[in-house]
Amino acid sequence: MITAWSGDTSRLRATVDFVKAQDTAALLPLLLPGLDGPELRTLVERCDFSHAALLVFPGDEAALDAMLRDCGLTADAPPRPSVVVRERLAVRHKRGAAELDVGLLRPAVRCLDGARRTVEVFTLTVPPGSDLGAIATHERERQHEAHVAFEVDAPDPLVLRGLCATFAQYGATPDGGGYNPHENGTVFYFATAAEAKAGYRRVELYVPGDHRDVLTAHLDEHRGRQPADTLLRLLTGAWTTQALAAFAQLEVADAMDRERGVGVAELAQDVGAFAPNLATLLRYLTMLGVVSEDRDGFRLTDLGGLLRADTEGSMRPLALMYGGPFYESFAGLGHTVRTGQVAFEQRFGENHFDHFARDPALAELFDRSMAAGSRMFDPLPAHPVLTSAAEGATVVDIAGGNGELLGRILSAHPRLRGILLERPHTVETARRLLGAAGHSARCGFRAGDFADVPAGGDVYVLSRVLHDWDDDRCREILRHCARAMPDTADLLVVERVLPADGSASLATAWDLHMMCNVGGRERRADHYARLFADAGLTLVGRAPLPLDGSVLHVRRTGPDTGSWS
């Protein structure tokens, strides 16, 4: 499996780099958009940026020491108990707090501005095979405990209440907290507004001493926030989808600059828009962090840069697809829930595969939108099945789209060969793109359906395919794979897997999307295991991927296959 501990090391290294680069005056406005002038100066005088934090899951003490060394960190003392994080984990995962031995380290970091800050490292040891592995997987994916922290100088109740009020004024909402008697300190957690630009969604105010009197009011507000505000924000989600889609359709991002502001009049002329209405759209997108505004006009942010057509990893096709055909079909979600019929088919009169195949421009947009989610694939070429494959081994990508994933695998492993199976019109696109990437000599192409899976491959890949279909069709697809696979072959299935504990996940959102638009579904790991078994296959491993993805390692069922739970 892909080594999770190495991912912890990468996350820790990124946290160290963040702490080195930031200071209080620069960081606060990123977390609290709009904070400026006297209020910013007051906060800077009252609190100092002290650390950034994350939760890691070493297999043992030696693994933790190695992780710290790799990131240039030195622990001056053994981990101390972390009461607050332990309690949060216990509640979130419905476990007894006594089962969770959460430690806390604060190794020092020398920063670029000369200050001495720390990285707060929460540790939960998860030995191989431990039943805590599910907690580790969930927390790595969701990053619930990652936050930035400010230490309050000269705290008193009036100051603390004022700081909390200022945070709330600029969009931060209470998100828990607690008192740690082991170090006599009180923490106040906040969730930042959606438009915050620091890359962290949680902020901690750390106050030396026992301030549970002020903390009680903070926690009461966290529990008693008015649900009407939350519901109203949820109801406007469609506006955000269409704002991003319009921004992409008009190609505004391509007319903007990341280094300097551009005036609305100039932008409107470049993209053929009505300037006053474009200004309204841009102000809304400023609130979302897609663009920023200065005295010279509007500037593209890194987030908005993903909507440029020419940027690497552009997500513009996704914006056009989600704001176009899929948006239209979602208006029929109620019909799907009521009748069991697919909303896309009701809206367009045919299933989405046939509809896209009849429209070359739409088919190309769909293939590009699938490739736009390619960040999910980043770790996949490092999967042990691929890294250990023999010289000249063949990777068969079944329904591989325009070859984005297969191209990544062939680039990472020059010794491997590839075969891509796809619909005729998509095969030609993949042939062109993989040829341009220099893979023509090592890649074959086959136009066909799932019944045409090439036999004799060494590694088979099914990426985001099974969620398109109901269980019967999935069994049929998997049986085609099993018939083609030699006894020694491996199958890698890439999907978003529904969490077993009902926790928040992109997979849950995609489950709704698949039901509404293609009649498919996302599934839990044990559901996939049953489908594999029905086709004569066995799930032997699972590893996390970005964007809430997973890679399921599958082999033909045999005496040496083993089992997975």
Side-chain angles (χ1 to χ4, degrees):
M1 295 177 63
I2 296 171
T3 302
W5 299 336
S6 64
D8 283 350
T9 301
S10 298
R11 292 191 299 120
L12 181 56
R13 188 175 296 114
T15 304
V16 172
D17 291 341
F18 180 90
V19 170
K20 288 181 178 179
Q22 294 295 337
D23 62 57
T24 305
L27 182 55
L28 278 169
L30 297 178
L31 296 164
L32 305 173
L35 179 66
D36 200 356
E39 288 174 314
L40 173 59
R41 289 194 293 274
T42 298
L43 282 188
V44 171
E45 291 169 0
R46 294 291 189 182
C47 57
D48 293 315
F49 172 45
S50 61
H51 66 261
L54 80 165
L55 174 61
V56 297
F57 305 90
D60 53 28
E61 185 177 344
L64 174 61
D65 291 340
M67 188 187 307
L68 295 173
R69 278 197 311 274
D70 287 346
C71 297
L73 299 175
T74 301
D76 295 328
R80 288 173 291 180
S82 176
V83 175
V84 175
V85 172
R86 183 188 66 186
E87 295 296 333
R88 287 170 63 91
L89 289 173
V91 170
R92 197 152 55 235
H93 296 280
K94 301 178 177 62
R95 304 288 288 261
E99 302 175 61
L100 306 174
D101 184 15
V102 181
L104 169 61
L105 294 167
R106 288 201 182 99
V109 174
R110 177 67 67 181
C111 302
L112 299 181
D113 62 358
R116 188 176 177 85
R117 302 188 179 95
T118 61
V119 173
E120 191 169 73
V121 185
F122 300 108
T123 67
L124 176 61
T125 301
V126 181
S130 166
D131 67 346
L132 300 177
I135 295 179
T137 298
H138 174 92
E139 294 295 327
R140 285 188 181 106
E141 292 175 352
R142 306 305 192 282
Q143 299 289 324
H144 291 300
E145 299 306 328
H147 65 265
V148 292
F150 297 83
E151 185 163 343
V152 179
D153 297 327
D156 63 58
L158 185 61
V159 169
L160 289 181
R161 291 189 178 95
L163 290 175
C164 291
T166 301
F167 271 60
Q169 181 183 347
Y170 289 95
T173 54
D175 191 35
Y179 171 69
N180 189 340
H182 297 285
E183 58 184 28
N184 189 28
T186 310
V187 294
F188 298 75
Y189 285 121
F190 295 85
T192 61
E195 57 268 27
K197 302 177 178 65
Y200 285 85
R201 289 299 177 212
R202 296 183 67 239
V203 182
E204 170 190 319
L205 284 181
Y206 176 81
V207 190
D210 185 350
H211 298 275
R212 279 177 280 187
D213 52 342
V214 181
L215 179 66
T216 298
H218 176 80
L219 296 178
D220 286 344
E221 185 177 353
H222 172 51
R223 288 187 288 265
R225 276 181 286 164
Q226 292 299 316
D229 290 345
T230 300
L231 182 59
L232 188 59
R233 292 177 186 275
L234 294 174
L235 288 171
T236 64
W239 304 351
T240 297
T241 301
Q242 283 302 312
L244 294 169
F247 189 70
Q249 290 162 0
L250 293 169
E251 300 181 341
V252 184
D254 299 88
M256 295 183 72
D257 196 303
R258 297 193 195 196
E259 305 301 326
R260 65 177 184 88
V262 181
V264 171
E266 180 181 344
L267 283 173
Q269 184 174 10
D270 287 344
V271 303
F274 182 54
N277 289 5
L278 178 61
T280 300
L281 173 64
L282 291 172
R283 281 195 296 272
Y284 182 81
L285 294 174
T286 299
M287 183 178 70
L288 301 178
V290 176
V291 300
S292 63
E293 186 176 11
D294 57 34
R295 60 186 177 186
D296 296 322
F298 290 91
R299 181 178 59 80
L300 195 64
T301 66
D302 290 342
L303 179 65
L306 290 172
L307 293 174
R308 288 180 65 100
D310 61 354
T311 194
E312 184 178 357
S314 171
M315 299 181 76
R316 182 173 181 269
L318 279 175
L320 297 175
M321 185 62 67
Y322 292 165
F326 289 149
Y327 188 88
E328 292 184 46
S329 64
F330 250 108
L333 177 60
H335 173 81
T336 292
V337 173
R338 186 173 60 253
T339 67
Q341 299 169 2
V342 180
F344 190 100
E345 296 175 9
Q346 183 202 32
R347 169 64 183 83
F348 294 102
E350 58 188 341
N351 72 62
H352 104 288
F353 295 108
D354 292 340
H355 184 72
F356 291 168
R358 289 194 308 101
D359 184 335
L362 197 54
E364 182 186 4
L365 176 61
F366 176 71
D367 288 337
R368 287 192 288 117
S369 72
M370 291 291 288
S374 61
R375 192 169 72 84
M376 182 189 290
F377 304 147
D378 286 349
L380 194 64
H383 194 285
V385 163
L386 295 167
T387 58
S388 64
E391 181 83 24
T394 298
V395 179
V396 180
D397 193 355
I398 304 164
N402 64 9
E404 170 72 25
L405 175 54
L406 185 57
R408 286 170 175 250
I409 292 171
L410 295 179
S411 293
H413 304 290
R415 70 185 188 286
L416 301 182
R417 301 183 62 83
I419 298 176
L420 185 134
L421 171 69
E422 251 297 356
R423 298 156 293 169
H425 68 278
T426 303
V427 159
E428 293 311 310
T429 301
R431 189 191 305 274
R432 183 177 68 255
L433 294 176
L434 288 169
H439 301 314
S440 295
R442 293 189 291 130
C443 193
F445 300 88
R446 180 171 296 187
D449 202 348
F450 295 114
D452 303 306
V453 175
D458 300 287
V459 180
Y460 289 77
V461 178
L462 269 176
S463 176
R464 298 180 298 178
V465 171
L466 296 180
H467 72 164
D468 288 334
W469 307 100
D470 62 21
D471 283 0
D472 288 342
R473 180 61 164 151
C474 284
R475 292 187 188 96
E476 182 183 345
I477 293 168
L478 291 167
R479 286 175 181 134
H480 287 310
C481 295
R483 281 193 291 270
M485 292 169 60
D487 290 342
T488 57
D490 297 279
L491 170 64
L492 300 180
V493 176
V494 177
E495 294 287 355
R496 289 187 172 95
V497 176
L498 288 171
D501 60 359
S503 56
S505 168
L506 284 174
T508 305
W510 255 257
D511 196 24
L512 192 71
H513 167 68
M514 302 311 295
M515 176 186 74
C516 185
N517 284 290
V518 302
R521 60 183 300 183
E522 307 295 351
R523 297 168 172 88
R524 291 182 8 171
D526 57 351
H527 192 156
Y528 277 117
R530 291 193 297 272
L531 294 177
F532 298 145
D534 290 344
L537 300 165
T538 299
L539 177 59
V540 296
R542 174 185 172 189
L545 295 173
L547 303 178
D548 278 357
S550 290
V551 53
L552 306 175
H553 179 198
V554 181
R555 304 203 76 190
R556 292 192 60 170
T557 301
D560 299 323
T561 304
S563 62
W564 182 91
S565 59

